[in-house]
Amino acid sequence: MAFTLQIGDQAPDFALPATDGRTYSLNDFRDAKVLVVFFTCNHCPYVIGSNEVTRATAVKYEEQGVRFVGINSNSVNTYPEDSFEHMVEIMKEEQYPWTYLRDESQDIARAYGALRTPHFYVFDGGRKLVYTGRAVDSPRDTSKMTVNDLDLALSEHLAGQQLSVPVTNPIGCNVKWEGKDAHWMPAEACDLV
């Protein structure tokens, strides 16, 4: 069995605390025509480098019923700056247009098979996976990006088209797993394509 979710898989449910003080489950986003769940964090240079492109993509599709949910699953013992308190501070400062959730147990990262930060999953109205992988091809320095795969996937899906590129490899830092070396990844977490 693959480590990460496969195209057509159902979105795993969650119940996670958010920076706005609420706890959210998949059902809280039931009105979203499309749901983008992405694994992210506070410290990763690939996340920091591409957050503004992610913001622009979220804003671009908001009126078409697309919602974005960021999940931080990183171990705070590996990276203290990935703490919930720092998440709250970042959201206050940056006002990102997504719900930012904390996956302290890392159970949700395991359920989705999150490989890197950032790692994006796009789900249709029935919460079946239609796209997974990177947002852009140069997340650390978006001035060098040549393609926004996330934008392409959303535009094609919303137009009722079959996705031309439904799977890409996410580019970024690996998820920081509790009790493991900072660069450790599960053996079954090999390349997607």
Side-chain angles (χ1 to χ4, degrees):
M1 187 175 139
F3 177 75
T4 195
L5 292 178
Q6 303 294 292
I7 298 302
D9 284 354
Q10 196 73 35
D13 200 3
F14 49 77
L16 297 172
T19 55
D20 65 6
R22 291 182 49 198
T23 296
Y24 288 85
S25 71
L26 207 52
N27 195 48
D28 288 307
F29 305 97
R30 64 189 170 278
D31 295 336
K33 189 174 180 180
V34 175
L35 186 64
V36 178
V37 175
F38 66 107
F39 289 82
T40 186
C41 66
N42 301 333
H43 85 278
C44 172
Y46 296 89
V47 168
I48 294 166
S50 59
N51 267 341
E52 288 308 315
V53 173
T54 304
R55 181 200 300 270
T57 306
V59 169
K60 176 179 178 180
Y61 291 102
E62 192 173 17
E63 285 187 8
Q64 294 181 65
V66 179
R67 294 281 303 274
F68 276 62
V69 177
I71 300 176
N72 178 0
S73 301
N74 276 358
S75 164
V76 294
N77 292 319
T78 309
Y79 272 92
E81 53 267 59
D82 280 331
S83 71
F84 186 76
E85 295 73 29
H86 282 107
M87 290 169 61
V88 171
E89 285 171 26
I90 284 169
M91 288 300 277
K92 249 184 214 157
E93 287 169 20
E94 300 294 341
Q95 300 289 307
Y96 289 123
W98 51 76
T99 304
Y100 197 13
L101 307 177
R102 178 70 183 141
D103 174 26
E104 191 77 35
S105 70
Q106 303 187 314
D107 288 343
I108 304 309
R110 278 189 284 276
Y112 279 73
L115 295 165
R116 301 195 176 278
T117 55
H119 187 168
F120 293 82
Y121 298 84
V122 177
F123 297 96
D124 67 11
R127 296 304 173 253
K128 298 265 194 230
L129 187 68
V130 297
Y131 174 81
T132 182
R134 67 190 186 191
V136 300
D137 61 347
S138 181
R140 193 169 184 153
D141 181 359
T142 54
S143 70
K144 294 178 180 169
M145 75 181 198
T146 61
V147 65
N148 184 331
D149 291 291
L150 179 62
D151 182 86
L152 177 65
L154 290 169
S155 65
E156 288 178 345
H157 179 70
L158 289 165
Q161 300 169 1
Q162 187 167 347
L163 268 59
S164 54
V165 184
V167 178
T168 59
N169 275 316
I171 300 170
C173 300
N174 57 298
V175 172
K176 306 307 179 199
W177 299 99
E178 183 64 38
K180 302 290 185 182
D181 175 82
H183 299 288
W184 181 87
M185 288 182 84
E188 63 274 25
C190 42
D191 282 356
L192 298 177
V193 292

